């Protein structure tokens, strides 16, 4: 390749890999047939052409040479391992052409713009990057920097700018419309108020109040209605009824999930009768809810009542007609289970409140998509029908293609097929313009309008505040913290009492100790009296065991000074590290001095950076070791033995840092304990796995793989040393809880749509394995053998009527799909 990232050369894979053994396989014409095992393209570079001066001296030991005398990088790893050019069976073919019908490349500004668009929008971007790296192996670092800059600027920064602009503009427009609407309503109310006053003045005094006469015998009916109304309300508010109906919802959902297309007859029978029973339960519940409402108007004013009534009608209609979709409508009752999590219920209410705005937005998108779909039919007609199923040949296919571009799924393939269908350069430019305009509008405008609607209707701040409110988990955590605090307070009081303090021999001091011990929960002065240095219960002196000698010494000789508070004890008591090293201890002072040295921090930080670099160049397993120019095993530029030595040194450095920090600040119970910081806990976890890996405690098995996988945590230690990264990570951690609730909310939606998908599409996605039986052909036509390619050539194989990877046959597969 003569230009950077040109990508016009590809490895010619027309020969098998000689390491597999076996003869060459030739077609009748003498051409070498490609062996299996190469399902992807491999781009290459001719580093030196035949006749280049000193080519052999410069490149002979590094790159293989083909029969034409060109040095290339095809099978370069095999060549460097074996140093045998006879084992190289590939050559770099420079006549292959650019990929994607020749439209994705960097040969000129047009192709470069399309390639950059692919990298920015994420469709085929990985293929573009792979071609860049393989076609220019000498500038790998530049390629990575180039793509990272494109991703940061075009993908994240520009997308964020579009989000800010669109959502900000949407908010200002809605505020302006709201202000105008409020002024109109105020003027309307003023006019109605003036008109109402005038009418009251005209009819003042004409209407006399008439006292209504009570209907004969109506009192008993009203009392009966009130009693029925009260009983219905109590029934609906009974917690047992609420939990029972939630159980019915779960049973109904499990019955629908068990009704698979190939389920045994007993399961289908169970599903039918369970659906019948559950629908009867919900019908009774709706009737009681109507009675509890008191009137038709009040019942209809409740959105939940209207929703439940519609679901009940759909379920009964499904049982009566056998319509599958109507039988599956009641699965939306799974959302009722959100009532057990108030935060999820608040999210559901926000989603329901935003339905109107979302429907308006969907209508707007449909109108614009309709315009683009019709335009696509005029532009492309049936030109794309022979190239792809995403075409504009019919109106339904045109709208499906527009929807595919709207979601961004494989949009680049639609772009390249649209350009390939046009014969002239001008027509290709217009096809490219048409596809990119609709895709850009969808990704940058439409998606951000959805974000704006969500921000307007979802009370995000209220959701976060609800999450922050203490719940069951917080109550359990508070109980544990209070227990630990009480234990520490008692320990501090006893340790403080052991030390020599003035004023310990008076009786008042002893009574003061009794007060302190009563406050700590050791004794109860109402039931215990002090007699001769022993504590004996007034209730039953024989049933109380005598205190230990240590406690007797505390009570008789180590009473606290008068008016001493526990808070003062904790403040005066010096913190001990590991229960023995006080701040004045010589050993602890030495570790503190080491930890405060600037060179110590530099050494630790340098070890972290070096370990991260070694992590990048170290293969995860020994059988993945690379080979250098001399054929020796190397870890990139470092020998394996030297790498192991340095990893040992790094582990020692990190272990010394842990000991220094622990001896300086303590581990758990001191004020600035080491484990009170989440970042220090992360460091300790990384150190733990490093020690396990260093001593090779789990040499084989799956456990060893887990501990090797923990090496990937090493770069996380860098974040602790950078304040900017710590702020970003702290902000990210703060979003974990809200995101978890959103994931739970999405899980309910997945479950609902999976039930519908299982009922509608279960057993209907089978296909013929080699793709020879096309629509409207089906299972009957999927017969006979077909030609397939294996490692040693081609052979006949039978066609199979098989299921794709993603289907709706079972509930678990439906959720995954």
């Amino acid at each position: 390749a003569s230009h950077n990232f040109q990508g016009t050369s590809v490895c010619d894979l027309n020969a098998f890999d000689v390491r597999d053994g076996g003869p060459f396989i030739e077609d009748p014409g003498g051409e070498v047939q490609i062996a299996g095992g190469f399902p992807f393209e491999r781009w290459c570079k001719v580093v030196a052409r035949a006749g280049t001066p000193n080519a052999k001296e410069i490149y002979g030991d590094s790159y293989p040479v083909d029969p034409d005398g060109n040095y290339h990088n095809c099978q370069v790893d095999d060549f460097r391992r074996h140093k045998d050019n006879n084992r190289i069976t590939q050559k770099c073919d420079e006549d292959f052409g650019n990929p994607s019908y020749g439209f994705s490349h960097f040969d000129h500004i047009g192709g470069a713009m399309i390639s950059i668009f692919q990298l920015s929008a994420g469709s085929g971007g990985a293929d573009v990057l792979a071609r860049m790296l393989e076609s220019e192996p000498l500038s790998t670092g530049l390629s990575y920097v180039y793509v990272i800059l494109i991703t940061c600027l075009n993908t994240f920064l520009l997308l964020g700018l579009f989000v800010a602009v669109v959502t900000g503009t949407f908010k200002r427009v809605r505020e302006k419309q709201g202000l105008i609407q409020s002024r109109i309503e105020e003027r309307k109310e003023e006019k109605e108020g003036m008109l109402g006053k005038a009418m009251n003045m005209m009819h003042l005094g004409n209407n006399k109040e008439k006292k209504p006469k009570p209907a004969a015998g109506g009192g008993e009916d009203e009392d009966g209605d009130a009693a029925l109304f009260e009983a219905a309300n109590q029934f609906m508010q009974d917690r047992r009824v609420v939990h029972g109906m939630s159980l019915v919802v779960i049973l109904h959902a499990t019955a629908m999930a068990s009704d698979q297309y190939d389920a045994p007859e007993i399961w289908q029978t169970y599903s039918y009768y369970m659906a019948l029973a559950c629908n009867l339960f919900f019908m009774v519940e709706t009737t009681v809810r109507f009675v509890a409402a008191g009137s038709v108007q009040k019942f209809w004013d409740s959105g939940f009542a209207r929703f439940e009534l519609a679901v009940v009608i759909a379920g009964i209609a499904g049982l009566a007609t056998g319509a599958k979709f109507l039988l599956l409508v009641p699965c939306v009752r799974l959302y009722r289970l959100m009532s057990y999590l108030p935060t999820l219920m608040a999210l559901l209410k926000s989603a329901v409140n935003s339905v109107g705005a979302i429907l308006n937005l969907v209508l707007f998108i449909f109108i614009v998509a309709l315009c683009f779909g019709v335009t696509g039919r005029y532009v492309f007609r049936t030109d794309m029908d022979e190239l792809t199923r995403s075409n504009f040949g019919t109106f339904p296919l045109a709208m499906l293609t527009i929807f595919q571009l709207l979601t961004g799924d494989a949009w680049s393939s639609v772009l390249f097929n649209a350009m390939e269908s046009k014969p002239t350069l001008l027509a290709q430019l217009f096809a490219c313009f048409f596809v990119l305009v609709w895709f850009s509008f969808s990704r940058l405008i439409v998606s951000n309008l959805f974000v704006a609607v969500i921000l307007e209707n979802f009370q995000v701040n209220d959701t976060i505040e609800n999450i922050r409110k203490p719940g069951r988990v917080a109550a359990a955590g508070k109980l544990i913290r209070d227990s630990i605090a009480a234990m520490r307070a008692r320990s501090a009081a006893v340790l403080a009492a052991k030390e020599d303090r003035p004023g310990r021999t008076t009786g008042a001091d002893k009574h003061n100790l009794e007060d302190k011990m009563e406050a700590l929960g050791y004794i109860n002065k109402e039931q215990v009296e002090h007699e001769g240095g022993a504590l004996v219960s007034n209730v039953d002196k024989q049933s109380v065991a005598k205190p230990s000698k240590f406690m007797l010494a505390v009570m008789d000789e180590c009473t606290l000074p008068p008016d001493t508070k526990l808070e003062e004890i904790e403040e005066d008591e010096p913190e001990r590290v590991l229960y023995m090293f006080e701040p004045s201890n010589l050993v602890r002072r030495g570790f503190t001095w080491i930890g405060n040295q600037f060179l110590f921090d530099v050494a630790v930080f340098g070890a972290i950076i070096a370990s991260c670099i070694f992590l990048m160049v170290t293969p995860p397993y020994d059988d993945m070791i690379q080979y250098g120019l001399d054929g020796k095993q190397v870890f990139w530029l470092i020998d394996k033995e030297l790498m192991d030595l340095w990893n040992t040194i790094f582990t020692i450095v990190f272990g010394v840092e842990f000991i220094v920090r622990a001896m300086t600040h303590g581990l758990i119970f001191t004020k600035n304990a080491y484990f009170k910081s989440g970042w220090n806990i992360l460091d300790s976890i990384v150190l733990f796995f490093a020690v396990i890996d260093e001593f090779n405690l789990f040499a084989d098995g799956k456990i060893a793989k887990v501990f090797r996988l923990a090496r990937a945590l090493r770069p996380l230690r860098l974040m602790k040393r950078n304040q900017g990264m710590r702020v970003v990570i702290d902000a990210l951690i703060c979003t974990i809880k809200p995101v978890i609730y959103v994931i739970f909310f999405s899980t309910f939606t997945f479950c609902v749509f999976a039930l519908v998908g299982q009922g509608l599409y279960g057993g209907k996605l089978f296909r013929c394995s080699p793709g020879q039986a096309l629509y409207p052909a089906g299972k009957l036509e999927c017969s006979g053998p077909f030609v397939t390619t294996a490692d040693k050539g081609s052979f006949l194989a039978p066609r199979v009527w098989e299921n794709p990877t993603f289907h709706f046959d079972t509930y678990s597969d439906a959720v995954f799909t």
Side-chain angles (χ1 to χ4, degrees), residues 639-659:
D639 185 77
K640 182 179 183 301
E641 295 181 357
L642 184 60
M643 174 73 74
D644 293 338
L645 176 61
W646 276 108
N647 282 329
T648 303
I649 295 175
F650 295 149
T651 303
I652 295 174
V653 171
F654 298 147
V656 171
E657 183 205 13
F658 173 79
I659 295 173

Side-chain angles (χ1 to χ4, degrees), residues 542-562:
Q542 303 298 326
S543 63
V544 179
K546 292 185 178 181
S548 63
K549 294 182 180 180
F550 172 75
M551 289 304 302
L552 289 173
V554 171
M555 290 182 292
D556 292 337
E557 301 179 5
C558 302
T559 53
L560 300 177

